[in-house]
Amino acid sequence: MSQTPGDDRKTLVLTGASRGIGHATVKRFSREGWRVITCSRQEFADNCPWPAGPEDHIRVDLSDQEDVGYAISEIRRRLEANGSELHALVNNAAISPKAEAGARLDSIRTPMHVWRDVFQVNFFAPIMLARGLFKELAAARGSIVNVTSIVGSRVHPFAGTAYATSKAALNSLTREMAADFGPAGIRVNAIAPGEIETAILSPGTEKMIDDIPLRRLGQTAEVADVIYFLCSNQSSYVNGAELHINGGQHV
Ligand SMILES: NC(=O)c1ccc[n+]([C@@H]2O[C@H](COP(=O)([O-])OP(=O)(O)OC[C@H]3O[C@@H](n4cnc5c(N)ncnc54)[C@H](OP(=O)(O)O)[C@@H]3O)[C@@H](O)[C@H]2O)c1
């Protein structure tokens, strides 16, 4: 169901909703009665498993700055129907390029154009979206959740350097934005997943289970629950935090 005039559902804008953690997140918020505006490169799928229409999907390539600018104006236009209020923005989409045969792209071999693409999608697009939707977020005293990663704070066997540093930067950005957006009533937090069962994982991740205190991979729904918590009033005094969702892997 799309937004209709007089519709008083809360609204979430979510990037990267087509699979993995984003997919679980849109299902979680829909279940709670939220309208979810999804953003990714793919077209809206008619067999979408949650109650949405193409009006609630925006096709955008976050690696293209101009396209992000267009998407922001399109989101703002679609929010007009409910008084231009946005209750949550979840910056979830990310890319993690690999070398041949899935090997880690290190700081010596990563081509500069790859590095720039990774930072555009994983770091600059979240800044652009947050700033571009500031007015709507402030109107609803909304919440921003940036999806970072455990690899932002340690070298990982599979995750590349560009990806890791983009996530570290996104965590710093979360702190800065929490300070800058807080006076407008907007909370800004991050979640840092560990090894979650999705397509982004490299073969061999199963071997890391022995180093995870809970001795298992995480599920996308477990991540979506924490994102939902951070966008709800249950976390009304949580601001500038990065929550670990990793079964204790960081200890
Ligand atoms: N899985 C894990 O274990 C893990 C661990 C730590 C952190 N994370 C983080 O969690 C988030 C989600 O991860 P995931 O595993 O669910 O990822 P995923 O399965 O690879 O999904 C990535 C999503 O981002 C979208 N996307 C990618 N490039 C895009 C672009 N240029 N423009 C617009 N959308 C784009 C994709 O949709 P389209 O292909 O349709 O564009 C897709 O919906 C990411 O930020 C990731 O870094 C994941």
Side-chain angles (χ1 to χ4, degrees):
M1 243 186 319
S2 61
Q3 190 88 10
T4 50
D7 187 342
D8 58 0
R9 286 180 299 166
K10 289 185 168 183
T11 304
L12 160 70
V13 167
L14 170 71
T15 64
S18 54
R19 50 179 190 271
I21 291 168
H23 197 252
T25 303
V26 71
K27 284 203 286 187
R28 179 71 166 92
F29 279 73
S30 298
R31 210 168 68 218
E32 302 290 342
W34 286 53
R35 175 193 184 193
V36 184
I37 297 178
T38 56
C39 306
S40 59
R41 285 167 303 183
Q42 290 179 40
E43 290 285 10
F44 175 77
D46 282 331
N47 57 352
C48 190
W50 54 83
E55 319 74 44
D56 284 343
H57 182 69
I58 292 170
R59 194 178 167 197
V60 55
D61 183 352
L62 298 171
S63 69
D64 178 341
Q65 281 190 39
E66 258 183 54
D67 215 18
V68 179
Y70 158 77
I72 291 167
S73 41
E74 189 52 31
I75 294 167
R76 298 188 69 190
R77 191 183 67 73
R78 294 188 198 192
L79 289 173
E80 282 169 8
N82 71 326
S84 293
E85 288 193 359
L86 178 62
H87 302 86
L89 165 67
V90 175
N91 287 307
N92 164 72
I95 50 171
S96 179
K98 303 277 189 290
E100 312 76 55
R104 175 174 173 266
L105 261 182
D106 66 17
S107 49
I108 300 167
R109 291 182 305 154
T110 304
M112 287 313 298
H113 69 91
V114 171
W115 211 296
R116 277 190 278 269
D117 268 356
V118 169
F119 265 73
Q120 172 55 37
V121 175
N122 298 6
F123 181 65
F124 291 123
I127 301 174
M128 292 175 74
L129 285 163
R131 296 205 308 200
L133 299 171
F134 183 92
K135 229 174 104 207
E136 287 77 8
L137 283 161
R141 301 185 74 79
S143 188
I144 298 175
V145 177
N146 293 322
V147 180
T148 60
S149 170
I150 191 171
V151 312
S153 56
R154 68 200 54 218
V155 176
H156 188 274
F158 309 121
T161 302
Y163 174 78
T165 50
S166 74
K167 293 298 187 179
L170 188 58
N171 185 32
S172 302
L173 177 72
T174 301
R175 183 189 65 230
E176 298 293 324
M177 284 182 17
D180 299 338
F181 285 43
I186 304 167
R187 296 183 295 110
V188 187
N189 292 291
I191 54 141
E195 314 300 330
I196 311 299
E197 236 177 310
T198 60
I200 214 174
L201 290 184
S202 298
T205 305
E206 325 74 63
K207 295 194 192 105
M208 298 178 72
I209 287 174
D210 288 347
D211 298 327
I212 301 173
L214 288 184
R215 298 285 189 274
R216 65 174 176 88
L217 299 177
Q219 297 302 312
T220 55
E222 294 177 298
V223 181
D225 282 344
V226 181
I227 294 175
Y228 183 74
F229 165 72
L230 286 174
C231 295
S232 74
N233 285 337
Q234 301 292 306
S235 61
S236 52
Y237 205 55
V238 181
N239 189 29
E242 186 187 50
L243 298 191
H244 302 292
I245 312 174
N246 60 26
Q249 193 179 2
H250 68 287
V251 302

